[in-house]
Amino acid sequence: MQHDHLLVIRFSALGDVAMTVPVIWALARQYPEVRITVLSRPFARSFFENLAPNVNFMSADLKSEYHGVKGLNALYRRLTAKQFTAVADLHNVLRSGYLRLRFHLGHYRVEHLNKHRYQRRMLVARQPRKVLQPLSTPFENYLDVFARLGYPIDPSNLCFKSLSFPETPEHTAILQHTILQSPCVGIAPFAAHRGKTYPPKLMEKVIDLLIQSHPEARIILFGRGQQEDEFFAQCTAKWSNCITASSIAKDMNQELLLMSKLKVMVSMDSSNMHLASLVGIPVVSIWGATHPYAGFMGWGQSVNNSLQVSSLDCRPCSIYGNKPCLRGDYACLCGIAPERVVEKIVEFV
């Protein structure tokens, strides 16, 4: 008799894919006889390759190998060879929708994510139309997809704590490096959009105040990109306590391992909040144009550790932080004093 083989589709950005991990782990735990294959971008392999015995990973580069309709058709043919019995689309965008259509026409069981777009529009609407109330989280929406496919997940199985890592000589070297000076505080000061990024000058003040109050602390800076490189170069030149994660960790596995040795992570509403959550580290999260009510708080994180300006009627103005500030001054971020950030960090150090 053929066992169930479930295809889970989730492309998108790093943080979005990371949010699927606790739910897929719970699914694999409750249904050990079901084979689960996760289809995502190549970077996500680190999340799933050691997650559970019945979880496999397939990568698909949609920008080159499987680009356009021709590429998606080739990907569909590759997928059908795996003999899936059901398909869960946890992305629900144009490309995953095309694959979903092909599977539906092929008489597969198919379900997709409900993004609750109307409720999101009401959350970010201008006054007086704004409805400021919590929306269902992506985790809850993922659970709903699996339930409709016939795989309801018992809440008692939602007990994911952290990813595990195989011991390697490279990992041992990282551990030795991070314990040279402790405690270690991670700071991920940037996000994809300005509406989610704490002003660099204020973050410099955070680092300065933290070093003044805890000169023994080591600050590890997380992030990759041009603006990160420029800011990190300034910080490492100014403070010997600062070090960049990229100088220690050479790949995603090593970066997650390094992150797992922190006392606390300071992050925007960005992927690093979700990565730290996957390795069981508390996160002091900074929210500007976006809001925890949109449901994107990291797995297992407490809203008590989030910092935001609650007195602005315009917040939140964006689900993803990609809209320009209506006021023009980004008061939602500039109004968070560095002293508040340091005070919250010190609770964990």
Side-chain angles (χ1 to χ4, degrees), residues 24 34-35 51 134 175 192 194 225 227 256 299 326 329 331 339:
I24 293 175
V34 175
R35 293 174 58 198
L51 187 63
L175 295 179
R194 184 180 176 186
Q227 59 181 353
L256 288 168
W299 175 262
L326 297 172
D329 59 359
E339 290 79 5

Side-chain angles (χ1 to χ4, degrees), residues 207-284:
I207 296 173
D208 190 47
L209 290 173
L210 181 59
I211 291 175
Q212 288 182 35
S213 61
H214 289 73
E216 78 286 358
R218 165 167 290 186
I219 297 171
I220 303 179
L221 302 168
F222 289 84
R224 299 173 189 270
Q226 182 177 350
Q227 59 181 353
E228 285 89 345
D229 291 343
E230 294 173 359
F231 181 76
F232 293 173
Q234 296 173 14
C235 292
T236 54
K238 188 173 182 180
W239 296 289
S240 60
N241 302 53
C242 289
I243 188 170
T244 61
S246 58
S247 67
I248 307 173
K250 304 307 179 184
D251 57 32
M252 179 62 69
N253 265 344
Q254 294 183 13
E255 190 158 316
L256 288 168
L257 180 66
L258 175 61
M259 205 174 284
S260 71
K261 303 305 173 184
L262 301 174
K263 290 290 185 181
V264 62
M265 168 67 85
V266 180
S267 175
M268 311 301 106
D269 170 20
S270 67
S271 61
N272 281 289
M273 172 177 62
H274 299 293
L275 297 182
S277 301
L278 290 187
V279 293
I281 298 302
V283 178
V284 174

Side-chain angles (χ1 to χ4, degrees), residues 25 28-29 31-32 34-36 48-56:
W25 179 88
R29 172 190 172 100
Y31 299 97
V34 175
R35 293 174 58 198
I36 302 166
F48 301 102
E49 60 183 354
N50 296 305
L51 187 63
N54 56 329
V55 174
N56 300 310

Side-chain angles (χ1 to χ4, degrees), residues 22-23 25-27 29 153-162 299:
V23 176
W25 179 88
L27 178 71
R29 172 190 172 100
I153 297 176
D154 191 313
S156 64
N157 285 312
L158 294 170
C159 54
F160 176 85
K161 296 299 181 183
S162 67
W299 175 262

Side-chain angles (χ1 to χ4, degrees), residues 57-76:
F57 179 78
M58 287 181 63
S59 65
D61 189 343
L62 300 182
K63 293 184 177 180
S64 57
E65 185 178 5
Y66 298 111
H67 180 70
V69 174
K70 182 178 179 181
L72 290 174
N73 286 332
L75 178 58
Y76 173 74

Side-chain angles (χ1 to χ4, degrees), residues 82-261:
K82 301 293 183 180
Q83 296 183 323
F84 295 110
T85 56
V87 178
D89 176 7
L90 301 187
H91 199 178
N92 192 14
V93 293
L94 189 60
R95 283 175 290 196
S96 67
Y98 181 80
L99 289 174
R100 193 172 74 234
L101 174 63
R102 291 296 309 269
F103 278 112
H104 179 74
L105 294 175
H107 304 289
Y108 291 82
R109 284 189 296 155
V110 179
E111 291 291 347
H112 66 276
L113 180 73
N114 182 353
K115 295 185 176 181
H116 302 285
R117 288 187 172 91
Y118 175 76
Q119 289 84 351
R120 288 183 177 184
R121 286 198 297 270
M122 290 297 96
L123 179 65
V124 300
R126 296 190 185 187
Q127 298 291 358
R129 296 176 58 244
K130 182 184 291 293
V131 179
L132 192 61
Q133 62 183 23
L135 308 185
S136 59
T137 68
F139 307 110
E140 293 168 332
N141 295 336
Y142 299 153
L143 291 174
D144 181 58
V145 173
F146 292 125
R148 285 186 274 117
L149 271 179
Y151 304 101
I153 297 176
D154 191 313
S156 64
N157 285 312
L158 294 170
C159 54
F160 176 85
K161 296 299 181 183
S162 67
L163 292 173
S164 59
F165 303 94
E167 290 297 329
T168 66
E170 293 82 4
H171 291 168
T172 301
I174 289 174
L175 295 179
Q176 291 174 343
H177 194 105
T178 56
I179 64 176
L180 291 177
Q181 186 175 354
S182 60
C184 291
V185 175
I187 296 182
F190 291 96
H193 305 290
R194 184 180 176 186
K196 299 198 293 184
T197 303
Y198 195 52
K201 289 295 184 182
L202 295 183
M203 188 58 80
E204 283 190 47
K205 183 66 173 177
V206 168
I207 296 173
D208 190 47
L209 290 173
L210 181 59
I211 291 175
Q212 288 182 35
S213 61
H214 289 73
E216 78 286 358
R218 165 167 290 186
I219 297 171
I220 303 179
L221 302 168
F222 289 84
R224 299 173 189 270
Q226 182 177 350
Q227 59 181 353
E228 285 89 345
D229 291 343
E230 294 173 359
F231 181 76
F232 293 173
Q234 296 173 14
C235 292
T236 54
K238 188 173 182 180
W239 296 289
S240 60
N241 302 53
C242 289
I243 188 170
T244 61
S246 58
S247 67
I248 307 173
K250 304 307 179 184
D251 57 32
M252 179 62 69
N253 265 344
Q254 294 183 13
E255 190 158 316
L256 288 168
L257 180 66
L258 175 61
M259 205 174 284
S260 71
K261 303 305 173 184

